Amino acid sequence: MDQLAVPDFSAGAMENWGLITYREAALFYAPDVSSEADKQRVTNIIAHELAHQWFGNMVTMSWWDDLWIKEGFATYIATLGMEKMCCKWNAYEEESLDNMLAILSTDAYCSTRPIHQPVTTANQIGGLFDPITYRKGAVIIRMMHMFIGDMAFRLGLNNYIERQAYGNAKQEDLWQALTQIAHDHSSLPKDLCLQTIMDSWTLQKGYPLIKVRRHYTNKCAVISQSRFKLQPEQQPNARQDQLFEQKRQYCWLVPISYTSELAHNFNSTEPQVWLRCTPKGEPLPLRLRYLPGEFEWIILNVQLTAPYRVDYDSCNWRLLIDALKGLDFQQIHVLNRAQLIDDAMTLAWTGQRS
Ligand SMILES: [Zn+2]
């Protein structure tokens, strides 16, 4: 594989098969002068372009509306490669968190768009090279990796690449290959397929806010979802299309993993339950049972698997805040500590928490 730095190259890099070209600055690294962060940046871009040899080159999207598959995979696979190469960087956790927090911020605006975006004219193509394609693409691929497990993810991708090699593919081809393996490995309920789950994340814009209301005497909780927006729902003088958008019902198939203070299982990212939708696409609330009592916190979205925010009832928030302020705060996984702080600050910003 030849890699070439090109003066005044306009893009950061281009994954041409057999001859990857880079903007000169993207490859600059001098051991005595450059920082560790420079080394990480150069490694990241090389890993991204190498990942494209499979995702983009060996299998190319059929049309630009599936651009996110090659860019999402290149972004995500690059972090796996960096983690393998130099674990002291902690690249997998850092990059995953960076992508997740960026998306939880930008994808909460009304002006956001779905990852899978119809493209009918040439001038729509350039606009697709944005954080939704790269970062949200990587975020939902990581979510899928975590909910079907490593073995099914690897075998499913092998099947997908073998079937589609030297040709074109749509996102449906990817879901088909992964569903088959995930069902064979019992890592996905038989009544769910990847297409139904992932369509809810790729065809709808935004992401959900999950509300958790615990019933401490019954040791259960009711969880429900609605689209999270940074801006108010109703806007004065809204146009007809904006009014339609305000009334539109959003619903995602959400993998729900959770743990509690005593169970303390931050290693298992596979969902205990799925938050689902009615056949008409309306959100269905769900009851979590066998939860601990009033002196123990619970936390959803182990290791920040899926892009959603969580708003607990005041009592559970208080238990979590006390845990974060205590000496033993590291009992909560670092990614979930970041999640709690980001969710609390954002919900305060929107006036949903004080
Ligand atoms: Zn790329």
Side-chain angles (χ1 to χ4, degrees):
M1 181 69 61
D2 291 319
Q3 313 211 54
L4 183 71
V6 180
D8 292 333
F9 190 64
S10 67
M14 184 62 216
E15 65 266 24
N16 312 295
W17 212 347
L19 178 65
I20 302 174
T21 47
Y22 299 83
R23 189 186 297 180
E24 280 179 311
L27 282 186
F28 279 156
Y29 177 76
D32 300 335
V33 181
S34 304
S35 66
E36 197 67 14
D38 288 331
K39 194 175 185 179
Q40 209 168 333
R41 179 181 49 78
V42 173
T43 309
N44 193 343
I45 194 163
I46 294 174
H48 181 106
E49 302 312 321
L50 289 176
H52 270 317
Q53 305 310 307
W54 290 269
F55 299 97
N57 290 357
M58 187 175 274
V59 181
T60 308
M61 73 272 186
S62 292
W63 185 240
W64 292 96
D65 50 8
D66 277 330
L67 174 71
W68 77 271
I69 296 181
K70 84 177 181 85
E71 294 306 342
F73 267 105
T75 305
Y76 182 61
I77 300 288
T79 63
L80 292 175
M82 287 171 74
E83 182 71 27
K84 193 89 181 161
M85 225 188 99
C86 185
C87 58
K88 74 171 181 181
W89 286 338
N90 212 12
Y92 183 67
E93 270 183 5
E94 271 196 20
E95 297 281 331
S96 300
L97 183 61
D98 199 36
N99 288 333
M100 181 67 84
L101 295 185
I103 283 309
L104 291 177
S105 170
T106 58
D107 206 23
Y109 287 96
C110 293
S111 55
T112 189
R113 67 170 182 86
I115 300 182
H116 181 96
Q117 177 91 352
V119 174
T120 49
T121 61
N123 58 13
Q124 290 172 329
I125 297 168
L128 293 177
F129 290 84
D130 68 355
I132 294 292
T133 291
Y134 285 77
R135 288 181 184 257
K136 194 174 181 187
V139 161
I140 65 164
I141 290 166
R142 174 175 173 269
M143 170 180 80
M144 189 171 67
H145 188 176
M146 291 181 132
F147 75 66
I148 63 172
D150 194 52
M151 183 64 84
F153 183 73
R154 284 168 189 269
L155 291 173
L157 286 185
N158 277 345
N159 280 0
Y160 164 74
I161 288 177
E162 272 176 21
R163 276 184 209 167
Q164 309 295 338
Y166 311 108
N168 300 89
K170 297 173 185 291
Q171 62 178 22
E172 291 78 12
D173 300 313
L174 177 63
W175 310 144
Q176 208 178 9
L178 285 160
T179 300
Q180 201 179 334
I181 294 289
H183 282 161
D184 291 349
H185 282 74
S186 304
S187 52
L188 190 67
K190 289 279 186 224
D191 63 336
L192 281 180
C193 65
L194 260 299
Q195 175 147 7
T196 317
I197 298 165
M198 298 307 283
D199 275 358
S200 77
W201 295 96
T202 59
L203 305 183
Q204 298 185 107
K205 57 186 175 181
Y207 62 85
L209 168 70
I210 308 291
K211 280 197 175 157
V212 181
R213 297 295 176 260
R214 292 179 66 182
H215 298 271
Y216 292 88
T217 42
N218 296 341
K219 298 193 171 180
C220 65
V222 174
I223 61 173
S224 57
Q225 62 165 305
S226 58
R227 184 177 166 203
F228 179 76
K229 289 183 197 165
L230 279 172
Q231 291 129 315
E233 194 70 42
Q234 301 294 332
Q235 290 169 10
N237 308 320
R239 293 193 314 264
Q240 200 62 34
D241 57 330
Q242 289 170 327
L243 284 172
F244 176 77
E245 177 60 30
Q246 283 167 14
K247 285 183 191 152
R248 193 186 147 174
Q249 188 85 264
Y250 284 81
C251 184
W252 289 264
L253 271 93
V254 189
I256 303 285
S257 55
Y258 58 92
T259 191
S260 64
E261 194 164 349
L262 268 188
H264 197 256
N265 185 0
F266 283 100
N267 292 326
S268 174
T269 57
E270 286 164 22
Q272 285 102 317
V273 286
W274 284 87
L275 194 55
R276 300 182 185 223
C277 316
T278 66
K280 284 185 174 173
E282 293 153 347
L284 270 174
L286 179 73
R287 189 177 291 268
L288 302 181
R289 298 174 195 278
Y290 313 113
L291 295 178
E294 61 187 318
F295 300 110
E296 249 188 86
W297 49 256
I298 63 163
I299 193 162
L300 264 70
N301 209 6
V302 172
Q303 290 192 36
L304 217 45
T305 306
Y308 62 83
R309 294 195 184 279
V310 190
D311 183 25
Y312 302 96
D313 55 81
S314 301
C315 183
N316 197 66
W317 267 122
R318 175 49 53 198
L319 291 165
L320 286 166
I321 290 165
D322 290 345
L324 287 177
K325 286 163 83 177
L327 289 175
D328 200 16
F329 65 90
Q330 289 184 341
Q331 65 179 306
I332 297 177
H333 193 282
V334 63
L335 292 177
N336 288 104
R337 274 181 268 151
Q339 168 208 29
L340 289 171
I341 292 167
D342 195 63
D343 282 353
M345 297 295 279
T346 308
L347 293 170
W349 178 260
T350 56
Q352 286 157 284
R353 282 281 146 198
S354 55

